[in-house]
Amino acid sequence: MGKYFGTDGIRGVAGEELDAQLAFKIGCAAATVLAKGGGQRPRVMIARDTRISCDMLEAAISAGLCAVGADVTLLGVLPTPAAAYLTVKTNADMGVVISASHNSFEHNGIKLFGGNGFKLSDALEEKVEELIDDGKKIAKKTGSGVGRIDRDQGFWANEYVKYVAGASTGSRFGGRIAIDCANGAATETARLLFRQLDAEFEMNFDEPNGVNINENCGSMHLDYLRDMMKTGRFSLGIAFDGDADRCLIVDELGNTIDGDMMLAVFSRDMHESGQLKGNGFVGTVVSNAGMDVFAQKNRLSFHRANVGDRNVLEKMMELGCNLGGESSGHLIFSDDATTGDGQLTAVKFINALSRSGKKASELVKDIPRFPQVMPSFKLTGGARQRDAIMQHPRLHSELEKYEKTLAGHGRVFIRPSGTEPIIRVLVEAKTERQAARIAKHFTDLMKSITN
């Protein structure tokens, strides 16, 4: 991670770590780094989610972009993958998304995509950071050289929805679907999409007010969908996060189908149809150990990348795979998209489910799962506290101890989050009770280290 960039763009509490001044500088720096040159004016596509702070940050970064001569198209409230797709489709120089994804409304973020639709490399992020800190290297424009802003937001939403709907096999899904839009970016596109799919559906959490994004809803809070499934009125539940690059599924019994399980479903389905490349798929270091068992049983290869969809994509490209993702629901179909897309994932899951002729619970019944517990330890002392914990000898000693204790039937994995001020703890064990006990041991240990 750099000075400003984390694992998924630049994040912070809006108005504090991420204020209008910083957004202006990011706009100036990013357009300077990513402009194609040749005397042409850079063109930038900007999408946003529904947070109240998006107005402020959109105006500030647009001003920064225009100040160095870039022309800006404001896409309005659209999912993160829509910005990536439309950047490529329009041959723009850069895509920008203003969103903090699954975080609560007071947080916000700025994600940058190159003209190829991919998130920036570490090298390009370093160049942007250098110019953020040294504005003297940025040439501001005057007169007719100043950039302009264009708004035609409804058109772009329809263009994106047509692209996602194009992934459907065309066969109508027979059941009723409950959709949770997290009061976020999917509120602008999910209704259009599922109408095009000719699906019977019910929208939920699709009334954003600026402060209710991800509030007890979306892919991080599935209880509402679980309860809906238990009424017997629905065959499937689909939940997106705030910027709709994630998707999680709830089956007709109210059980969660996470990103790992969907990877298993898709890998088997794509392998059977001859569409799976590299004879395998890519997960992350926190993917459930059941993925290893599943892959071995189905004579596929399962590979682990570091957490973050950019890292997953890099591993996919390295290995020649076209399927990868995270347990959180970031799934990448590289033949179709350059980044994770929750609504594309939902369409492809419905395709696989329809082809199978099974209920959702039956489709995932044979996918092995190790009991897994994933608590978080909240940091209040910033990077200094994080480093003190992660480098502490007692933590390393306990990790070595449990590595031996759980050998062959579990593991402990601890890592700092790249998007939030927390340290994540993952424990897999023979039973959920054992995993919970070990996880508490480690969170208590981190608390004692900081006292």
Side-chain angles (χ1 to χ4, degrees):
M1 292 186 290
K3 179 178 179 181
Y4 298 104
F5 285 92
T7 56
D8 195 14
I10 298 171
R11 296 274 184 98
V13 174
E16 293 182 8
E17 299 99 335
L18 183 56
D19 59 14
Q21 288 82 2
L22 178 56
F24 178 85
K25 291 178 181 179
I26 293 169
C28 292
T32 301
V33 169
L34 295 174
K36 292 175 183 173
Q40 296 181 349
R41 298 166 71 96
R43 294 177 55 250
V44 182
M45 314 294 280
I46 301 181
R48 48 165 288 185
D49 67 21
T50 58
R51 294 163 211 271
I52 193 171
S53 58
C54 283
D55 288 341
M56 171 186 72
L57 295 174
E58 181 184 68
I61 195 169
S62 297
L65 291 162
C66 290
V68 296
D71 288 334
V72 174
T73 296
L74 298 181
L75 302 172
V77 174
L78 279 183
T80 287
Y85 167 72
L86 293 169
T87 296
V88 176
K89 181 178 176 62
T90 61
N91 197 33
D93 297 83
M94 179 171 62
V96 177
V97 179
I98 303 169
S99 174
S101 189
H102 60 282
N103 291 11
S104 53
F105 85 95
E106 68 273 14
H107 296 266
N108 217 324
I110 294 175
K111 306 180 188 183
L112 303 178
F113 293 88
N116 57 4
F118 293 101
K119 292 180 180 178
L120 302 192
S121 65
D122 290 339
L124 284 176
E125 287 183 349
E126 287 174 8
K127 289 182 180 179
V128 173
E129 289 189 340
E130 180 183 347
L131 292 182
I132 290 173
D133 286 336
D134 189 0
K136 293 179 181 178
K137 295 182 180 180
I138 295 175
K140 304 284 179 61
K141 302 295 184 180
T142 60
S144 61
V146 174
R148 297 188 176 194
I149 298 176
D150 174 65
R151 300 171 177 85
D152 192 359
Q153 298 170 355
F155 171 79
W156 297 114
N158 280 299
E159 285 295 295
Y160 168 69
V161 167
K162 282 193 291 185
Y163 147 72
V164 176
S168 172
T169 57
S171 58
R172 189 177 187 275
F173 180 66
R176 184 171 173 81
I177 305 170
I179 302 169
D180 181 343
C181 292
N183 291 317
T187 58
E188 295 296 315
T189 52
R191 190 184 304 276
L192 294 173
L193 173 63
F194 284 90
R195 280 177 179 167
Q196 288 202 20
L197 299 179
D198 192 27
E200 187 179 355
F201 64 93
E202 179 177 308
M203 298 280 286
N204 300 275
F205 300 106
D206 60 334
E207 298 180 355
N209 60 14
V211 300
N212 63 356
I213 186 171
N214 299 315
E215 184 180 16
N216 297 318
C217 59
S219 62
M220 298 291 288
H221 305 280
L222 296 175
D223 286 346
Y224 186 84
L225 275 190
R226 292 190 187 106
D227 290 342
M228 292 186 74
M229 295 302 106
K230 292 173 183 177
T231 66
R233 296 188 297 114
F234 298 92
S235 302
L236 196 68
I238 298 174
F240 304 111
D241 65 337
D243 67 335
D245 63 351
R246 295 187 188 192
C247 168
L248 290 183
I249 302 291
V250 178
D251 70 22
E252 79 284 357
L253 302 177
N255 299 314
T256 301
I257 300 175
D258 67 7
D260 287 342
M261 300 171 78
M262 282 191 281
L263 280 175
V265 168
F266 291 132
S267 66
R268 180 164 52 195
D269 184 63
M270 292 168 67
H271 181 65
E272 290 174 354
S273 63
Q275 297 177 354
L276 188 68
K277 296 178 181 176
N279 195 49
F281 58 104
V282 177
T284 72
V285 290
V286 299
S287 291
N288 193 282
M291 292 300 95
D292 298 288
V293 177
F294 171 85
Q296 185 177 12
K297 180 181 177 182
N298 288 273
R299 297 183 178 179
L300 299 173
S301 299
F302 177 62
H303 311 275
R304 293 180 183 269
N306 289 329
V307 172
D309 61 339
R310 190 183 72 173
N311 295 320
V312 171
L313 182 59
E314 288 176 356
K315 180 68 74 172
M316 290 168 62
M317 295 172 71
E318 173 192 333
L319 298 169
C321 296
N322 60 347
L323 174 66
E326 302 182 272
S327 54
S328 60
H330 277 125
L331 267 64
I332 302 174
F333 302 87
S334 60
D335 288 344
D336 303 281
T338 58
T339 189
D341 189 328
Q343 289 172 103
L344 180 64
T345 299
V347 169
K348 286 185 175 289
F349 188 86
I350 291 171
N351 288 346
L353 186 59
S354 298
R355 276 194 294 270
S356 73
K358 299 177 179 179
K359 296 179 180 180
S361 63
E362 296 169 342
L363 188 62
V364 300
K365 187 177 181 180
D366 65 334
I367 298 172
R369 302 283 292 172
F370 279 49
Q372 191 180 77
V373 176
M374 296 181 65
S376 299
F377 181 81
K378 190 169 184 178
L379 296 168
T380 56
R384 182 176 296 181
Q385 183 189 24
R386 176 197 67 204
D387 293 343
I389 292 172
M390 295 304 299
Q391 296 169 12
H392 202 282
R394 282 174 58 199
L395 178 65
H396 288 275
S397 174
E398 288 299 294
L399 284 171
E400 290 176 4
K401 170 185 169 183
Y402 277 93
E403 182 179 354
K404 295 175 182 176
T405 302
L406 296 172
H409 58 81
R411 61 179 177 136
V412 179
F413 184 76
I414 296 177
R415 67 174 183 90
S417 169
T419 58
E420 300 175 75
I422 58 177
I423 293 177
R424 301 188 190 277
V425 179
L426 180 150
V427 180
E428 291 172 344
K430 285 183 176 179
T431 66
E432 188 167 343
R433 182 175 181 181
Q434 182 189 24
R437 176 178 57 78
I438 296 171
K440 184 177 185 303
H441 170 74
F442 277 94
T443 54
D444 288 347
L445 174 61
M446 287 188 277
K447 185 176 180 180
S448 69
I449 289 173
T450 57
N451 286 339

